[in-house]
Amino acid sequence: MYFAHFRLNLEVKLKPMLFADPKLKPLVGVVHVQALPGTPCHKYSMTEIIEKAIRDSEIYLEEGVNSILIENMHDCPYLNREVGPEIIAGMTAVCSELRKLTNKPLGIQILAGANKAALAVALASGLQYIRVEGFVFSHIADEGQMDSDAGELLRYRANIGANQIQVFTDIKKKHSSHSLTADITISETAKAAAFFLSNGVIISGASTGVEPDLVDLKKVKESVDLPVIIGSGITTNNIDKFYPFADAFIVGSFFKADGKWENDVDTTRVKEMIQKINYLRKL
């Protein structure tokens, strides 16, 4: 009886979804959680880590972003697929506190490719979606080779009763070599992700802060009947050209002081982007 009540409460918290409004192209602000316990760059207490994540989130929410994506990007160098219980516990603590700030959609990514861990944290914290890498095909990342985990991940999602949590999947992911799949186009990769039940595909540039290829974006948009999300490189100077072809925008680096992802969120930069996207929405 208790677990049925717990799950019901989570389902209530899990609304609205990121694409609940079909007319809105959501703007997603990224919170880069400070290095967690056990990682090489760890130096803050969990209380300080949570307070910093709250400060960044409050700026996003006050200025009007539509969603927040929480990432453990300071935990470099990253592990390949598997992270320790200290990372899962730390991310759950952060996400649970951010969940209290808003009923807007929240998401999580746990690097690198720790997709099952992200799903577990999302369920425990009442988040709406996860960003995953290595969903279809194989690629060589900074951490080594990653093979498809779609079958395992979605079975795990069903087994823990988390089918309401959406899975947005990077394709031809940044910071990676795709020589293993060089004969497979980005359009075919997107089709494979759709066939494997992705809830949306993410297009990025070659690395963090680098914009995607506009031609690739158009090809993917024409190939799948899924939300197509830009996952890197969006600024106030280039969002105009991408806006007609994308369904959502994940923005991290541009929102930070000096445009560097490791810095604090800059309120002025967030205001500028909100003004720009609101202008585009009215066109």
Side-chain angles (χ1 to χ4, degrees):
M1 189 71 177
Y2 170 80
F3 289 106
H5 177 70
F6 177 72
R7 183 169 295 174
L8 177 61
N9 284 342
L10 274 182
E11 288 173 353
V12 171
K13 289 181 180 178
L14 284 166
K15 296 179 181 179
M17 302 304 284
L18 187 61
F19 295 101
D21 182 353
K23 297 180 181 179
L24 180 71
K25 296 188 176 187
L27 180 64
V28 181
V30 180
V31 167
H32 296 113
V33 177
Q34 293 296 310
L36 292 165
T39 62
C41 297
H42 172 66
K43 58 183 177 180
Y44 298 110
S45 69
M46 278 306 305
T47 298
E48 292 171 317
I49 290 170
I50 291 170
E51 288 175 347
K52 173 65 166 60
I54 289 174
R55 288 196 299 272
D56 287 349
S57 298
E58 286 177 339
I59 294 172
Y60 285 144
L61 295 170
E62 287 170 7
E63 300 305 327
V65 299
N66 306 108
S67 175
I68 295 172
L69 175 65
I70 303 122
E71 295 182 358
N72 65 322
M73 195 156 171
H74 285 275
D75 284 355
C76 59
Y78 311 118
L79 297 170
N80 191 336
R81 292 289 192 197
E82 300 293 334
V83 295
E86 71 283 356
I87 303 302
I88 297 172
M91 289 296 278
T92 301
V94 172
C95 291
S96 295
E97 290 303 312
L98 299 190
R99 177 74 284 169
K100 297 174 184 177
L101 299 179
T102 181
N103 63 358
K104 289 184 176 181
L106 300 180
I108 182 174
Q109 179 177 25
I110 297 184
L111 301 167
N115 301 332
K116 288 173 67 177
L119 193 57
V121 174
L123 180 63
S125 307
L127 309 190
Q128 282 78 17
Y129 62 92
I130 62 174
R131 178 177 182 174
V132 310
E133 52 190 311
F135 189 72
V136 290
F137 296 109
S138 297
H139 66 267
I140 306 298
D142 302 20
E143 307 79 25
Q145 182 166 324
M146 280 194 189
D147 296 322
S148 168
D149 74 343
E152 180 181 357
L153 180 65
L154 296 193
R155 282 165 175 78
Y156 178 68
R157 183 175 68 170
N159 287 338
I160 65 173
N163 279 334
Q164 72 276 18
I165 298 174
Q166 294 182 315
V167 176
F168 299 131
T169 60
D170 277 275
I171 54 173
K172 298 287 186 180
K173 182 190 169 291
K174 60 186 177 181
H175 297 290
S176 302
S177 167
H178 298 283
S179 57
L180 292 172
T181 55
D183 58 336
I184 301 171
T185 66
I186 195 167
S187 296
E188 290 302 316
T189 306
K191 290 177 182 177
F195 181 67
F196 273 18
L197 307 181
S198 169
N199 296 116
V201 293
I202 301 172
I203 308 297
S204 62
S207 60
T208 298
V210 177
E211 69 178 51
D213 184 277
L214 184 59
V215 174
D216 284 346
L217 175 64
K218 291 178 180 179
K219 289 178 179 178
V220 171
K221 187 64 180 171
E222 293 170 356
S223 300
V224 293
D225 187 22
L226 287 176
V228 178
I229 304 163
I230 294 183
S232 74
I234 289 297
T235 71
T236 51
N237 292 328
N238 67 14
I239 192 172
D240 308 68
K241 67 179 180 180
F242 292 110
Y243 189 83
F245 309 104
D247 297 298
F249 306 90
I250 297 173
V251 181
S253 297
F254 178 79
F255 282 152
K256 303 302 186 70
D258 300 321
K260 297 180 179 180
W261 72 264
E262 63 269 28
N263 291 343
D264 292 341
V265 171
D266 185 329
T267 303
T268 300
R269 284 174 166 263
V270 180
K271 286 181 182 290
E272 291 174 355
M273 181 62 79
I274 292 293
Q275 291 174 356
K276 187 61 174 287
I277 199 168
N278 284 340
Y279 168 75
L280 294 171
R281 287 166 175 163
K282 294 176 182 178
L283 294 180

